[in-house]
Amino acid sequence: KVFDEFLSKNWDEDVLNRYYRVSKPIYTTQLFIPNMDANEAPKAFGAEKTVKPSRWIIHYKGQVSAPNEGTYRFWGCADDAMALAVNGKTNLVACRGDMAVAMTQTTWKSTEKPGAQAADDPLIAGDWFEMKQGQIIDLDVVIGERPGGLFNAFLLIEKKGETYESDGHGHFVYPIFQVAAYDTPSDGDLNKQPKFATGFPPWKSYQ
């Protein structure tokens, strides 16, 4: 309900400010988290004594630019919650299926058929958006967990007109959205993580 309210009120942080916040910030260069124990999230923030491994939300914020101008869209999914905003406007909501159904206030829906399977759920396509050379955009991403147990989250990026390989099941394989180059390990187990393309340049992060 909180996640749904936050998105329906256009990412109004007053919704989240009603709740306890961990003061320790953590930065990341990508969101590609294969199935893991949700207990690790509070531990990562040094908050395992004050935050249960359930009903948590992590909000990442930054300013980024694309390596090349063009038209892009994100692909993502999470168990349980993921959403993304470009310049303050919801661009992607990619939650676990039963959570997405329960979110009655959030009006954003993908216009594309679901993509390749990524652990428990298929990848969801975001809205297309234009990027000029050197243009900087505000990017917000939230991920979260409801009951605890296993957690995963994946965020990839597609450029219109780019050539991508097929996964053999009617879906293209896209690169991980990164703001710094990182050789992400792949174990090839689709029950844990989706396939991803390599050799594509990362985006640039400004803060």
Side-chain angles (χ1 to χ4, degrees):
K1 289 181 179 180
V2 175
F3 197 85
D4 193 17
E5 182 185 359
F6 176 57
L7 298 186
S8 69
K9 291 185 176 179
N10 298 315
W11 298 67
D12 182 356
E13 291 192 41
D14 283 345
V15 174
L16 303 184
N17 288 338
R18 301 198 301 256
Y19 302 91
Y20 173 72
R21 284 196 176 201
V22 176
S23 59
K24 178 184 177 182
I26 290 185
Y27 303 92
T28 187
T29 59
Q30 65 180 46
L31 281 172
F32 194 87
I33 307 171
N35 273 339
M36 60 170 284
D37 190 331
N39 293 349
E40 296 302 315
K43 290 180 183 178
F45 286 85
E48 65 271 23
K49 294 182 179 180
T50 55
V51 177
K52 293 181 179 180
S54 61
R55 298 189 180 185
W56 50 259
I57 289 174
I58 301 172
H59 184 188
Y60 292 104
K61 297 186 287 185
Q63 292 185 315
V64 300
S65 64
N68 300 290
E69 69 175 46
T71 305
Y72 293 85
R73 67 178 172 186
F74 292 98
W75 287 83
C77 72
D79 179 359
D80 291 278
M82 172 184 282
L84 181 148
V86 173
N87 290 331
K89 181 181 178 182
T90 300
N91 182 277
L92 172 68
V93 178
C95 300
R96 180 182 166 96
D98 54 352
M99 180 171 174
V101 171
M103 291 171 58
T104 57
Q105 300 180 75
T106 301
T107 59
W108 188 93
K109 303 293 181 185
S110 179
T111 58
E112 187 76 23
K113 293 181 179 178
Q117 193 72 13
D120 303 305
D121 294 276
L123 292 166
I124 301 299
D127 294 329
W128 292 107
F129 61 99
E130 298 286 338
M131 292 294 298
K132 301 297 184 182
Q133 192 69 43
Q135 178 186 1
I136 299 173
I137 60 170
D138 293 320
L139 190 66
D140 288 75
V141 185
V142 285
I143 57 176
E145 172 66 21
R146 291 179 299 165
L150 290 178
F151 173 77
N152 61 61
F154 308 100
L155 186 63
L156 298 93
I157 189 76
E158 175 189 5
K159 182 182 180 184
K160 185 177 285 189
E162 188 71 70
T163 300
Y164 300 100
E165 294 183 359
S166 171
D167 66 356
H169 299 284
H171 304 289
F172 292 113
V173 179
Y174 302 115
I176 298 170
F177 175 71
Q178 298 178 320
V179 293
Y182 175 68
D183 187 12
T184 307
S186 173
D187 61 10
D189 186 348
L190 296 183
N191 292 318
K192 295 181 179 179
Q193 63 182 46
K195 291 182 177 180
F196 58 90
T198 58
F200 291 86
W203 288 46
K204 183 176 180 180
S205 176
Y206 296 86
Q207 63 175 20

